[in-house]
């Protein structure tokens, strides 16, 4: 019997994900990448990987700053879209982050906008981080930009509902926490059909990341808390952004 496609393979490949999150656009990516590059000070010949790049908004921002960039993602539709921007320094490939794309290829691997923690088991998280380590050059840098679970936990003591109207679609959203995962149930009607997806993202907090990264030969260098690169505060930061070096 065939195993059913996991939620992340279906939802991120659908046009509805891109409509719901349409406000997280190229402008947001340009601004974040400009700040990151100022902070990280990469050498001009650095090679970047935008791991789980979606339609490639951060990859394009990196390329526009002159860096050789590879965008990798599981979604065929997103990579098809991104390929229109390819040139001699910007490449896109369909790729599963749990696998090694090429050994010791990248100076920086960026995993942005909560693009981790989708798998059911810890082994796949470790497999991903081990693959990242293998793909980094000596002293290469991994940056993970994740939701700040410590803050979300407080706001999700009870379920929270929200309605978002975008591109003519009314999205009805219900967020809860269950069994170590943050669940976001998304319901809407479109073309006379009722649609439903559920995002299921592991509730990984800083201490958990510390353990995972130690186990996969990374040393944490810096922890930031938002896209303005302010320091991380567990109770108040919007994001948990971890910068770690391959050891
Ligand atoms: C929240 S989106 C973020 C996309 C992009 N980083 C951005 O900021 O626009 C998460 C992305 O992870 C990708 N993804 C999910 N599972 C993956 C996997 N196993 N390997 C590679 N990419 C994956 C999805 O296809 C989706 O594009």
């Amino acid at each position: 019997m065939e195993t059913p496609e996991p939620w992340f393979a279906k939802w991120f490949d659908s046009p509805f994900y891109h409509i719901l999150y349409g406000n997280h656009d190229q402008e947001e990516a340009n601004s974040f990448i400009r700040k990151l590059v100022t902070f990280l000070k990469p050498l001009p010949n650095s090679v970047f990987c935008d791991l789980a790049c979606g339609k490639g908004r951060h990859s394009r921002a990196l390329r526009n700053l002159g860096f050789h960039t590879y965008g990798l993602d599981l979604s065929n539709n997103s990579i098809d879209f991104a390929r229109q921007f390819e040139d001699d320094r910007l490449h896109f490939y369909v790729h599963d982050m749990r696998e090694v794309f090429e050994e010791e290829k990248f100076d920086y691997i960026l995993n942005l906008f909560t693009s981790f923690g989708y798998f059911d088991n810890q082994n796949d998280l470790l497999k991903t981080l081990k693959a990242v380590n293998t793909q980094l050059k000596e002293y290469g840098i991994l940056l993970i930009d994740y939701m700040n679970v410590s803050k979300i936990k407080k706001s999700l003591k009870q379920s929270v509902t929200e309605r978002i109207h975008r591109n003519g679609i009314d999205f009805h959203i219900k967020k809860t926490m269950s069994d170590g995962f943050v669940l976001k149930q998304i319901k809407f009607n479109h073309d006379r059909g009722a649609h439903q997806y559920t995002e299921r993202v592991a509730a990984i907090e800083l201490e958990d990341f510390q353990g995972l990264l130690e186990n996969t030969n990374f040393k944490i260098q810096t922890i930031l808390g938002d896209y303005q690169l302010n320091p991380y505060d567990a109770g108040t930061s919007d994001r948990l952004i971890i910068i770690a070096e391959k050891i």
Side-chain angles (χ1 to χ4, degrees):
M1 211 171 73
E2 267 184 52
T3 27
E5 240 192 339
W7 71 266
F8 51 86
K10 280 188 265 186
W11 170 231
F12 294 122
D13 204 40
S14 85
F16 305 112
Y17 161 74
H18 296 284
I19 293 172
L20 179 59
Y21 289 90
N23 54 327
H24 295 280
D25 57 8
Q26 189 62 52
E27 207 177 305
E28 179 186 75
N30 292 345
S31 152
F32 182 37
I33 290 296
R34 259 197 311 271
K35 290 192 177 78
L36 271 186
V37 164
T38 305
F39 185 83
L40 294 169
K41 299 187 182 55
L43 294 171
N45 60 350
S46 297
V47 182
F48 279 80
C49 172
D50 179 6
L51 187 62
C53 63
K55 287 184 170 177
R57 60 194 180 119
H58 298 100
S59 308
R60 291 172 65 196
L62 286 161
R63 166 62 186 106
N64 289 339
L65 293 177
F67 296 106
H68 206 140
T69 305
Y70 288 75
L72 309 179
D73 200 282
L74 192 65
S75 160
N76 281 300
N77 284 329
S78 292
I79 292 298
D80 274 353
F81 177 88
R83 284 210 161 126
Q84 66 183 294
F85 305 110
E86 279 188 328
D87 63 18
D88 59 329
R89 286 186 161 242
L90 181 60
H91 313 279
F92 291 101
Y93 292 94
V94 173
H95 179 78
D96 189 318
M97 66 172 105
R98 287 167 285 192
E99 308 298 332
V100 173
F101 178 72
E102 207 177 310
E103 291 185 15
E104 301 201 2
K105 184 167 183 68
F106 305 113
D107 298 285
Y108 293 86
I109 297 184
L110 312 183
N111 179 264
L112 304 174
F113 196 45
T114 316
S115 298
F116 190 72
Y118 301 149
F119 313 119
D120 281 339
N121 61 67
Q122 175 105 344
N123 281 347
D124 276 342
L125 296 180
L126 288 169
K127 193 174 173 191
T128 302
L129 292 175
K130 282 181 190 157
V132 166
N133 195 291
T134 303
Q135 293 166 101
L136 281 171
K137 294 179 191 167
E138 198 176 13
Y139 309 119
I141 297 289
L142 162 66
L143 184 147
I144 300 181
D145 157 36
Y146 209 64
M147 58 185 171
N148 179 12
V149 171
S150 305
K151 180 176 165 186
I152 291 175
K153 255 176 155 178
K154 284 194 276 175
S155 67
L156 284 186
K157 287 206 168 108
Q158 284 155 1
S159 66
V160 172
T161 57
E162 193 184 356
R163 208 175 127 187
I164 295 178
H165 186 80
R166 209 158 270 146
N167 289 24
I169 302 180
D170 252 328
F171 293 95
H172 295 265
I173 295 170
K174 186 175 170 190
K175 289 188 209 162
T176 46
M177 284 206 59
S178 166
D179 291 337
F181 284 83
V182 178
L183 305 179
K184 191 164 170 183
Q185 185 190 73
I186 301 154
K187 290 185 180 178
F188 55 93
N189 293 320
H190 180 70
D191 262 357
R192 294 197 208 124
H195 299 251
Q196 185 178 324
Y197 294 88
T198 302
E199 292 180 1
R200 188 167 179 276
V201 185
I204 310 173
E205 294 182 77
L206 177 57
E207 304 69 48
D208 309 313
F209 271 117
Q210 280 165 335
L212 286 165
L213 290 166
E214 245 169 56
N215 273 322
T216 48
N217 295 325
F218 285 101
K219 184 173 171 224
I220 295 182
Q221 282 186 335
T222 313
I223 304 164
L224 303 167
D226 57 36
Y227 293 150
Q228 282 66 51
L229 309 191
N230 289 306
Y232 174 71
D233 178 277
T236 59
S237 289
D238 288 334
R239 309 293 301 166
L240 167 59
I241 300 171
I242 299 178
I243 301 174
E245 186 184 45
K246 170 175 174 163
I247 50 170

